[in-house]
Amino acid sequence: MTDDLYPSRMGGREQIIPRQDPVIYQHGLSRPDDSLRQSQLEHYEKNGYLVFPEFMPEMVEPLQAEVQRLRHSLEGREELVREPQGTELRTIFNPCRFSRIVDGFFRHPKLLPMVQQLLGSDVYQMQSRVNNKPAYTGKSFAWHSDFETWHVEDGMPRMRALTAWIMLTENHEHNGPLYVIPGSHHLYISCRGRTAADNYKTSLRQQKLGVPQPQTMREVLGDREIHAITGKPGTLVIHECNLLHGSPDNISNDPRQVMMCVYNSVHNRPRAPFGGLQPRPDFLSSRDTTPVSLAA
Ligand code: 6CS
Ligand code: FE
């Protein structure tokens, strides 16, 4: 495809190419951009993520109860993904669709305006999920940029999306917290390999494509460091779609559970996937770009 700004998995060698898109988008004049302070905007631009301790601790119990309900009510469906070598629950997809409480949280007036401010427009919800990392058996997520997968497998053209997620248990040093590489969202790693049809059926349990090679990671980490995002239940994190991240196994006694929602700008509608295959199913990546509105 000639107008692919971010080619990846085209069968060539791995390459680091510069980002071609802004990190923060400007709104039209009609809208006051006042949810996030200047210092927060600068942190996001520079590092690619923001952490809000004690964002909504009162939502932790109700959201956890919904996770318990959904893990039973969705039994046997594709929305539930198991650990790579086991039967423990790894991910529940699309909780927004199956729970009014989850839906309300991800459209909350404390949250949605920040997302709209960063993306400079109305947004739609592309993916929502619960990542569950059980004590002892919860497995790692390899280094990746979400955007790389969304571009190749879902047809997201530009970097104008982000993920907001809330910690439902404490995320600490030992229970497999998210590792990020601050500043890595300014680079794009064009990866090796080619995507097979239905890659998602295995990649959601263990991602192999779109995972940079050790030599590339050595270059990326040359003058950057790894930061582990920890916090109490109720902490909110926003991370930019191209930030390199991953997380280690959970060999501790404490489960780690987070709930996330991916927002994409309505000006960044998905096209045919850049990897040339059919788009992934809707429960993983919605193509309905209807803007979300504030919850009442
Ligand atoms: O598949 C997705 O949309 C997301 N999940 C994983 C494990 N990697 C890529 C992307 O973050
Ligand atoms: Fe990710």
Side-chain angles (χ1 to χ4, degrees), residues 144 146 239 245 260:
H144 66 279
D146 294 334
H239 74 256
H245 61 282
M260 4 213 266

Side-chain angles (χ1 to χ4, degrees), residues 32-82:
D33 288 336
D34 56 5
S35 291
L36 291 161
R37 296 189 309 273
Q38 191 55 34
S39 59
Q40 293 173 309
L41 294 174
E42 282 165 15
H43 186 279
Y44 186 78
E45 159 75 39
K46 179 168 183 254
N47 298 297
Y49 68 98
L50 286 168
V51 182
F52 303 84
E54 290 179 59
F55 181 72
M56 278 200 206
E58 70 281 11
M59 283 307 294
V60 170
E61 270 187 34
L63 291 174
Q64 275 177 338
E66 288 300 86
V67 174
Q68 278 309 103
R69 184 174 70 76
L70 292 177
R71 66 190 299 162
H72 294 113
S73 68
L74 296 178
E75 188 63 57
R77 296 178 53 122
E78 261 200 315
E79 281 85 354
L80 298 193
V81 177
R82 307 279 160 191

